[in-house]
Amino acid sequence: MVSSANDTHSACHHSDSKAGLHTATTHELLIEGAGCASCVSKIEDALRRVRGVQSASMNFAQRTVTVIADITDDQLIRAVEAAGYNAKVIGSEAESDLLKEKEEADWAYYKRLMLEMSIALSLGIPLMIYSLVIGEMTVNTNTERFAWLVVGLFTLGVMVFSGKHFYIGAWKSFVNHSANMDTLIALGTGTAWVYSMVVVFFPQVVPDMARHVYFEATAMIIGLINLGLALEIKARGRTSEAIKRLIGLQAKTARVIRDNLEVDVAIEQVLLNDLVRIRPGEKLPVDGVVVDGHTSIDESMLTGEPMPVEKTVDSEVVAGTLNKTGSIVFRATRVGKDTALARIISMVKRAQNSKPPIGRLADVISAYFVPAIMIIAVISALAWLNFGPEQQAIAFAIVSATTVLIIACPCALGLATPMSVMVGVGKAAEAGVLIRNGEALQTASKITAMILDKTGTITEGAPKVTEVYLTGGGDENRVLQLAASLEAGSEHPLAISILESAQERSLTLSPVEQFQAIAGHGVQGRVEQHALLFGNEKLMQRFSVDIDTHVETAQRMASEAQTPMYFSIDGQLAAIIAVADPIKEDSIEAIKRLQRNGIRVVMLTGDNRVTARAVAAKAGISEFFAEVLPEDKSEKVAELQQQGEIVGMTGDGINDAPALALANVGFAIGTGTDVAIESADVTLMRGSLHGLADAIAVSKATLSNIRQNLVGAFIYNVAGVPFAAGVLYPFFGLLLSPVIAGAAMAFSSLTVVSNANRLRLFKAQEH
């Protein structure tokens, strides 16, 4: 359920740790030496066993692990080192600096791998060509023995220079009583080299038919696997585009006003309540509230909305958005890591590091996969020794065991899920959809029913004058001017809509005298010597204003989800003014998108049934719950769940919090406020329901991509093992070469990474 998906967030803010003196904080470590998917479980388990650690989640694709704990970084690093790996803390520097540092480290590692690959293949390729041209690389004469001794020493040099990281990793795993990809590669290449050197020095102990060497296999495997790792790193770097783009929105400096002087300071030096000046064309450095000036701000980079938003005094502004025309001064209300943009970046990173349930299954399988493959390799070797061709049994046993070890490395399996999650979450963020975690990402693809809160979700959430019906002719603007003048003294929500309508028409208000609010009825007063009444039917009856001939008009307005209000001048009905919360322009089309995808759409509202039915009909929704109190909304979610539906709940993230928590996936429609971001599994930064449809479309595309990767990786690893063991030999006389296995293993990882990057081309609006 969704409530469990929020555990990570609550843990981040947990203040009462076991120790009682510390606060649980989020630590991020960069892991070195993690070679395959089986490493993930070992590192996570090692960290979780440390007292004070609440959670640990590793992203194999990025080689990072996020830990929530109330202990020091040094203790976490020691736990990782005890498991056989190296770790370093990703510090508290600026996000852009960290990303640049990581990119530089990846680029240096890429260049090193390419150099190591070149050295290995410069020896392996000529040897392979020689073996193909000459045939068996035998050792039957002293001349051959000396030549192969030299080649063997060169191969040893390749193993040390180009493959030492495999052997060091394998040794660390052995010391820690575990096994990983390095173990398989080290055993495979090491066995091939040792066997070849035995043939060179002690040919008499090996049958004549088996006196051939496999130095080319050792060099080629090391070279090809390094090539695969290098290409994987290069392709993997593209998955950080979403984070790069978000970080790129951050301003580097800010112009603050201190002691009546304007000075430029680094973004880190802006303090709460500082006054910040923004000129045309500048990015906003922090969140705040406008105290002076008027401008329009482009918020599309955060919300996806293309139209600039007008900002005046008391308007909220958000870091990372772009000032278009005017100059403003605003007071900083959130700085540093507390700004909406910083929180969004943190949320995207956290989601990219999280695992959907389907990914956790892959981690569990990988943890057992390497030991299982080592057992299969031993069984394969024993089978060849006992049942293989008499003169070549030893050679065939070595080849089959080596090939099994090499072909089964579960790198592709480990990359299958995190690569797709990283790209999918980033793609969603580009569309203004913030996905909190991998579980929400997976569950969103399975939603069968979507509950939509009416106010602020389907509708705009702000009542507006929708119709002015004049009962006896006259001037509509004059009626609105008098009504707005009367309502200027009222605090009723509907009064605000009347005043806003007058402002839009640039009407000048007149002073009101003898104003009186009559509870449950409306208001009365005098404006420009006219006695005015504005309210419901009861108010008109109280003052004997005849409305009988216009009741049907008022009823028609009510049936159309409008609230009719009677307005009389000097005892005569002058107009019926209708106020309604209009449906957002694109809500109807977005709801149709959901329905076309087979999702049952249900509207939820506290309004009466007549209004609810009218709004639902306009929005194209056949099912609705009306007159529902905020505290009862979660019961409607449970009701649909009891019917077997996978329920999504969409609301404003504040009064819908219980329902959002109970739903399988909670969607908050907001503008990046703290409450909206933290109250749901998915936050739609723009107010459009198209963001909801986009989120589900991205979820489905990502899950499809993960399945493709997992199926491909499983088929490759599982199906490749029998061929590596020699199942084709009895029928076709074919025994798979370790070189082919090394190439296949290396490029399988590249295939998974490339397939995940296909998601970057996905366009949600087309689905």
Side-chain angles (χ1 to χ4, degrees):
M1 300 299 291
V2 168
S3 55
S4 63
N6 291 327
D7 290 347
T8 299
H9 167 65
S10 62
C12 290
H13 298 277
H14 182 63
S15 60
D16 297 321
S17 65
K18 294 176 184 177
L21 297 175
H22 303 285
T23 299
T25 55
T26 301
H27 308 255
E28 193 164 5
L29 305 177
L30 185 64
I31 304 297
E32 298 174 356
C36 69
S38 61
C39 301
V40 174
S41 295
K42 292 170 191 169
I43 293 169
E44 289 179 344
D45 289 344
L47 288 167
R48 288 170 184 155
R49 284 196 297 268
V50 179
R51 186 175 182 181
V53 172
Q54 296 181 9
S55 68
S57 178
M58 180 174 175
N59 185 325
F60 176 61
Q62 289 188 315
R63 304 305 197 268
T64 59
V65 60
T66 301
V67 185
I68 297 175
D70 57 5
I71 60 176
T72 65
D73 291 329
D74 290 340
Q75 289 174 284
L76 296 176
I77 291 173
R78 284 197 295 271
V80 173
E81 290 174 344
Y85 305 90
N86 295 322
K88 66 178 182 179
V89 178
I90 299 178
S92 58
E93 301 91 339
E95 289 284 344
S96 56
D97 294 338
L98 286 174
L99 199 61
K100 183 177 180 181
E101 180 185 335
K102 191 172 185 301
E103 285 181 341
E104 290 175 351
D106 282 347
W107 177 243
Y109 187 37
Y110 168 79
K111 291 194 293 185
R112 193 182 85 201
L113 286 171
M114 290 299 288
L115 175 62
E116 292 172 351
M117 177 273 297
S118 301
I119 298 297
L121 294 187
S122 65
L123 175 66
I125 290 175
L127 288 176
M128 188 173 68
I129 294 173
Y130 177 82
S131 70
L132 293 173
V133 174
I134 303 301
E136 295 291 349
M137 297 164 68
T138 58
V139 184
N140 293 318
T141 66
N142 288 335
T143 302
E144 287 180 339
R145 185 179 306 163
F146 179 76
W148 288 122
L149 175 60
V150 173
V151 171
L153 293 176
F154 273 111
T155 305
L156 180 62
V158 166
M159 294 168 72
V160 172
F161 180 79
S162 300
K164 64 181 177 182
H165 48 284
F166 299 129
Y167 303 106
I168 292 172
W171 174 252
K172 286 183 176 179
S173 292
F174 175 74
V175 169
N176 286 279
H177 311 292
S178 61
N180 58 17
M181 181 193 81
D182 293 337
T183 306
L184 302 182
I185 296 171
L187 280 174
T189 57
T191 301
W193 185 83
V194 170
Y195 175 79
S196 300
M197 293 302 288
V198 168
V199 170
V200 171
F201 282 103
F202 309 105
Q204 66 277 5
V205 303
V206 182
D208 291 344
M209 293 291 291
R211 289 179 188 171
H212 44 81
V213 294
Y214 295 97
F215 294 126
E216 92 288 0
T218 298
M220 286 293 291
I221 288 168
I222 290 174
L224 289 170
I225 292 175
N226 278 333
L227 175 61
L229 291 173
L231 294 177
E232 172 199 316
I233 287 172
K234 192 170 185 180
R236 200 172 68 206
R238 301 168 66 193
T239 62
S240 299
E241 288 300 319
I243 294 292
K244 289 181 192 174
R245 194 171 288 110
L246 286 170
I247 290 175
L249 298 177
Q250 294 177 316
K252 303 297 183 186
T253 61
R255 171 158 291 215
V256 299
I257 302 173
R258 293 175 181 168
D259 299 325
N260 295 321
L261 295 176
E262 295 186 9
V263 293
D264 290 327
V265 300
I267 184 71
E268 296 84 6
Q269 296 175 355
V270 179
L271 305 176
L272 278 177
N273 296 318
D274 266 347
L275 294 179
V276 182
R277 180 176 295 282
I278 298 295
R279 292 163 296 192
E282 293 182 336
K283 289 179 182 176
L284 275 73
V286 295
D287 296 354
V289 176
V290 178
V291 296
D292 183 43
H294 173 270
T295 188
S296 60
I297 291 181
D298 181 358
E299 297 181 340
S300 61
M301 62 283 295
L302 288 179
T303 66
E305 296 285 0
M307 294 297 294
V309 181
E310 293 295 315
K311 301 290 183 180
T312 58
V313 175
D314 294 333
S315 297
E316 290 191 359
V317 292
V318 182
T321 54
L322 182 65
N323 187 33
K324 299 291 286 186
T325 54
S327 175
I328 58 172
V329 175
F330 70 90
R331 187 179 304 279
T333 57
R334 286 189 294 265
V335 300
K337 291 188 176 181
D338 292 327
T339 66
L341 179 59
R343 295 174 71 117
I344 288 168
I345 293 172
S346 175
M347 185 175 179
V348 172
K349 286 179 63 181
R350 191 166 65 223
Q352 288 185 332
N353 283 337
S354 66
K355 299 185 186 74
I358 193 172
R360 290 195 286 269
L361 174 64
D363 285 348
V364 171
I365 292 174
S366 296
Y368 295 98
F369 197 78
V370 172
I373 289 302
M374 294 174 68
I375 294 172
I376 292 172
V378 172
I379 293 173
S380 172
L382 291 174
W384 280 106
L385 286 172
N386 287 280
F387 306 108
E390 186 176 344
Q391 296 298 317
Q392 294 179 294
I394 297 176
F396 280 14
I398 296 294
V399 170
S400 66
T402 300
T403 307
V404 167
L405 291 171
I406 298 302
I407 203 169
C409 288
C411 289
L413 187 61
L415 288 167
T417 301
M419 290 302 302
S420 297
V421 169
M422 286 169 65
V423 180
V425 169
K427 192 71 182 177
E430 290 175 14
V433 177
L434 304 180
I435 299 174
R436 178 182 292 280
N437 52 50
E439 188 163 355
L441 179 69
Q442 178 168 334
T443 307
S445 67
K446 304 174 183 177
I447 288 175
T448 58
M450 179 63 69
I451 296 178
L452 303 177
D453 183 56
K454 179 183 78 70
T455 305
T457 301
I458 297 175
T459 67
E460 293 183 2
K464 293 183 178 179
V465 173
T466 51
E467 184 178 348
V468 178
Y469 173 77
L470 301 175
T471 60
D475 182 8
E476 185 174 305
N477 282 345
R478 173 62 172 164
V479 167
L480 265 179
Q481 185 260 335
L482 289 173
S485 297
L486 176 63
E487 288 285 18
S490 173
E491 296 180 353
H492 193 279
L494 296 182
I496 297 174
S497 62
I498 304 296
L499 291 168
E500 288 179 347
S501 181
Q503 288 175 354
E504 289 172 1
R505 302 188 187 201
S506 301
L507 302 178
T508 302
L509 303 188
S510 301
V512 60
E513 299 174 348
Q514 301 174 20
F515 175 84
Q516 182 183 359
I518 303 173
H521 291 72
V523 296
Q524 69 171 338
R526 297 188 67 85
V527 176
E528 298 178 4
Q529 303 305 314
H530 294 290
L532 306 180
L533 295 171
F534 194 23
N536 57 23
E537 185 175 343
K538 293 179 181 178
L539 181 68
M540 298 297 110
Q541 291 172 350
R542 178 170 177 171
F543 287 90
S544 302
V545 177
D546 182 17
I547 62 170
D548 291 344
T549 57
H550 303 289
V551 170
E552 287 187 7
T553 299
Q555 291 174 343
R556 186 262 304 167
M557 291 176 173
S559 68
E560 295 174 352
Q562 302 179 95
T563 300
M565 294 186 292
Y566 297 95
F567 182 64
S568 80
I569 303 175
D570 296 326
Q572 299 295 317
L573 184 65
I576 302 176
I577 301 176
V579 174
D581 183 5
I583 293 174
K584 295 175 184 175
E585 291 183 5
D586 54 2
S587 286
I588 296 173
E589 181 54 38
I591 289 168
K592 287 180 180 177
R593 281 182 66 191
L594 294 172
Q595 292 168 335
R596 283 197 298 269
N597 287 323
I599 295 175
R600 175 184 173 189
V601 180
V602 181
M603 189 184 79
L604 190 66
T605 179
D607 282 345
N608 61 68
R609 294 191 63 81
V610 174
T611 302
R613 182 179 290 108
V615 173
K618 281 186 177 181
I621 299 173
S622 58
E623 293 183 74
F624 63 89
F625 296 118
E627 300 176 8
V628 181
L629 297 174
E631 59 267 26
D632 297 331
K633 290 182 178 181
S634 58
E635 294 180 7
K636 301 304 179 184
V637 173
E639 189 176 315
L640 290 184
Q641 289 174 332
Q642 289 167 4
Q643 297 174 18
E645 303 281 9
I646 305 298
V647 180
M649 169 68 196
T650 308
D652 61 15
I654 302 173
N655 61 9
D656 299 313
L660 289 169
L662 184 61
N664 297 87
V665 182
F667 297 83
I669 289 189
T671 55
T673 60
D674 292 346
V675 175
I677 291 174
E678 301 296 350
S679 64
D681 302 292
V682 180
T683 299
L684 310 179
M685 295 299 291
R686 35 181 194 152
S688 170
L689 285 180
H690 277 296
L692 182 65
D694 291 347
I696 294 174
V698 169
S699 170
K700 288 183 176 180
T702 303
L703 262 292
S704 175
N705 194 273
I706 289 174
R707 291 190 188 99
Q708 292 166 9
N709 284 345
L710 286 175
V711 169
F714 273 122
I715 289 176
Y716 168 81
N717 284 124
V718 175
V721 170
F723 296 107
V727 72
L728 295 178
Y729 188 82
F731 307 101
F732 305 103
L734 296 175
L735 190 62
L736 196 64
S737 166
V739 175
I740 302 299
M745 191 277 286
F747 285 102
S748 66
S749 295
L750 182 61
T751 301
V752 166
V753 174
S754 300
N755 186 54
N757 273 298
R758 280 195 314 108
L759 275 173
R760 297 190 323 119
L761 305 176
F762 176 76
K763 297 188 184 302
Q765 285 284 357
E766 297 175 359
H767 293 73

